[in-house]
């Protein structure tokens, strides 16, 4: 086994993201997988998506993972590194392949959506407390994890337990539940995601996945089941998102902390994939900047809107000046916003118009 450019003392970055990334094959046209004649190659991975989005927003980021010593592994390392993400702690495994998957063009929540994973026995599924560089994983202001990793193998679950366990000097741990029913085989219990979430500082979870994985109904029930994290963000789809935060800049409603709700934006959706990762990136970016909880939620929605209005899993985030201006709108103006393809170029277009005689 070789390690790409391992350093003795990892540099401290803003965000470290740890998890499996795969080569993604996107359909050339809508339809069933059986009917799609060709696919376009891309990259996919919840954690690396967050790292790439944060790097594009100007933060220093690192992706920690394992890939095969194969062409697909080369592509992942090169493509993610091209975003400005530090990939020097990605280990290459000569005996296990890089995972790949194929998906249809539809919304993941749609009954017609299909995903075919080829990740069993992948290099990333062999991640464990001894098969990743824990020092590099912890050398960040934030460590971002997701529940997908916990489902890959018992070794991966051991690694997640190690990284979410309380310890002196650990980074702020961000955990996106990301419950994927298809990954949880017989004998595996998704309740372990609840255990891992309780060890995190910031938790992202969809109201629908909390209901499916844990039988919880409503945002308040989720917070009651997760009293430990400093912030619990419950995403409510097209309705919006609510954050329960301890010790925020306002009087707490109760022991759970202040509940802050921000409605979702009106978006002309091009492809409903990658929005959750973008939301997490927008929220974490504004967390690193020390913004109030309401603004963190708004930046999450804006980052998600950037991805929803493009065809792939990853999209350039809106320029910070534009995002800050929109996030500062009053509630009626925020509610009137409608964003479509190309909206993130609004500032550039306005500047160009100003320069044109």
């Amino acid at each position: 086994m070789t390690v790409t450019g391992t350093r003795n003392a990892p540099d401290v970055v803003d965000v470290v993201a740890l998890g499996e990334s795969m080569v993604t094959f996107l359909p050339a046209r809508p339809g069933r997988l059986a009917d799609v004649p060709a696919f376009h190659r891309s990259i996919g991975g919840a954690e690396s998506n967050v790292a790439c989005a944060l790097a594009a927003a100007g933060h220093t980021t690192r992706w920690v993972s394992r890939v095969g010593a194969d062409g697909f592994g080369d592509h992942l390392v090169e493509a993610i590194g091209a975003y400005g993400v530090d990939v020097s702690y990605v280990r290459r495994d000569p005996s296990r392949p890089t995972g790949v998957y194929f998906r249809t063009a539809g919304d993941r929540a749609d009954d017609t959506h299909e995903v075919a994973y080829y990740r069993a026995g992948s290099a990333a599924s062999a991640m464990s407390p001894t098969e990743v560089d824990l020092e590099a994983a912890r050398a960040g202001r934030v460590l971002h994890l997701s529940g997908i990793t916990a489902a890959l193998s018992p070794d991966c679950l051991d690694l997640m337990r190690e990284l979410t366990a309380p310890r002196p000097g650990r980074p702020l741990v961000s955990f996106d539940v990301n419950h994927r029913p298809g990954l949880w085989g017989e004998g595996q219990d998704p309740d372990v995601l609840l255990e891992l979430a309780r060890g995190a500082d910031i938790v992202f979870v969809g109201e629908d996945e909390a209901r499916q994985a844990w039988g919880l109904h409503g945002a308040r029930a989720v917070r009651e089941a997760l009293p430990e994290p400093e912030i619990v963000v419950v995403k409510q789809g097209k309705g919006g998102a609510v954050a329960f935060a301890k010790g925020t800049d306002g009087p707490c409603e109760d022991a759970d902390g202040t509940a802050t709700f921000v409605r979702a934006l009106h978006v002309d959706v091009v492809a409903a994939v990658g929005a959750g990762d973008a939301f997490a990136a927008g929220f974490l970016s504004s967390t690193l900047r020390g913004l109030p909880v309401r603004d963190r939620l708004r930046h999450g929605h804006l980052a998600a809107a950037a991805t929803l209005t493009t065809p792939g899993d990853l999209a350039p985030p809106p320029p910070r000046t534009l995002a800050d201006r929109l996030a500062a709108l009053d509630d009626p103006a925020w509610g009137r916003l409608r964003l479509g393809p190309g909206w993130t170029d609004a500032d550039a277009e306005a500047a160009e118009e100003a320069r044109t005689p």
Side-chain angles (χ1 to χ4, degrees):
M1 180 185 300
T2 60
V3 182
T4 306
T6 301
R7 307 165 188 161
N8 292 327
D11 294 334
V12 176
V13 296
D14 290 333
V15 178
V16 176
L18 180 146
E20 179 173 34
S21 294
M22 295 177 290
V23 173
T24 309
F25 289 93
L26 308 175
R29 71 181 190 195
R32 301 184 310 151
L33 286 179
D35 300 327
V36 175
F39 295 82
H40 302 292
R41 186 184 66 176
S42 183
I43 61 174
E47 302 84 3
S48 61
N49 283 350
V50 172
C52 290
L54 284 165
H59 297 281
T60 54
T61 64
R62 172 180 300 128
W63 173 49
V64 175
S65 189
R66 299 175 86 253
V67 298
D70 50 32
F72 286 150
D74 294 341
H75 176 62
L76 281 175
V77 171
E78 292 166 7
I80 294 170
Y83 279 87
V85 178
D86 173 15
V87 294
S88 60
Y89 293 91
V90 177
R91 295 190 174 184
R92 310 300 297 268
D93 189 330
S95 62
R96 291 172 177 264
T98 303
V100 302
Y101 77 98
F102 298 76
R103 67 168 174 82
T104 52
D107 187 339
R108 183 180 283 121
D110 192 289
D111 290 340
T112 63
H113 183 69
E114 296 175 73
V115 180
Y117 289 108
Y118 298 91
R119 71 197 309 176
S122 68
S125 70
M127 287 190 296
S128 71
T130 59
E131 288 296 334
V132 300
D133 190 319
L134 294 179
E135 185 181 5
R138 291 175 171 133
R141 295 171 60 191
V142 176
L143 171 60
H144 182 69
L145 308 168
S146 106
I148 293 172
T149 306
L152 298 181
S153 70
D155 283 342
C156 284
L157 177 55
D158 288 344
L159 173 63
M160 293 293 286
R161 283 177 166 146
E162 169 69 23
L163 292 173
T164 56
R167 58 181 289 133
R170 81 170 194 181
L172 191 76
V173 174
S174 164
F175 181 73
D176 193 334
V177 171
N178 259 327
H179 177 235
R180 298 287 186 266
L183 291 178
W184 292 91
E186 186 175 351
Q188 290 181 298
D189 186 358
D191 276 354
V192 73
L193 296 175
L194 197 61
E195 168 202 331
L196 296 172
R198 286 174 174 152
D201 300 296
I202 300 174
V203 175
F204 301 96
V205 61
E207 199 170 66
D208 55 345
E209 61 185 348
R211 181 172 58 252
Q212 185 176 36
W214 307 325
L216 300 174
H217 297 270
R220 179 63 63 180
V222 175
R223 180 48 159 170
E224 290 173 352
L226 292 170
E228 296 89 351
E230 288 297 311
I231 298 178
V232 174
V233 179
V234 182
K235 297 173 290 183
Q236 299 173 319
K238 295 180 180 178
V242 59
F244 297 92
K246 298 178 180 178
T248 53
D249 52 356
C252 289
E253 294 177 350
D254 50 36
D256 293 335
T258 301
T260 304
F261 173 78
V262 172
R263 69 176 61 186
L265 293 161
H266 301 290
V267 178
D268 297 327
V269 176
V270 173
V273 290
D277 302 331
F279 181 96
F283 191 95
L284 292 175
S285 175
S286 47
T287 297
L288 288 164
R289 296 170 60 199
L291 299 184
V293 172
R294 187 209 70 163
D295 291 2
R296 299 182 201 184
L297 290 169
R298 285 191 170 191
H299 278 277
H301 285 312
L302 289 165
T307 295
L308 289 169
T309 51
T310 56
D313 291 23
L314 279 167
R320 184 172 290 183
T321 53
L322 173 60
D324 283 346
R325 188 168 72 244
L326 296 179
L329 292 172
D330 60 28
D331 288 343
W334 176 265
R336 290 192 299 269
L337 273 180
R338 187 177 191 100
L339 303 175
W343 74 270
T344 57
D345 296 325
D347 271 11
E349 292 173 3
E352 183 63 32
E353 289 174 5
R355 290 194 298 268
T356 302

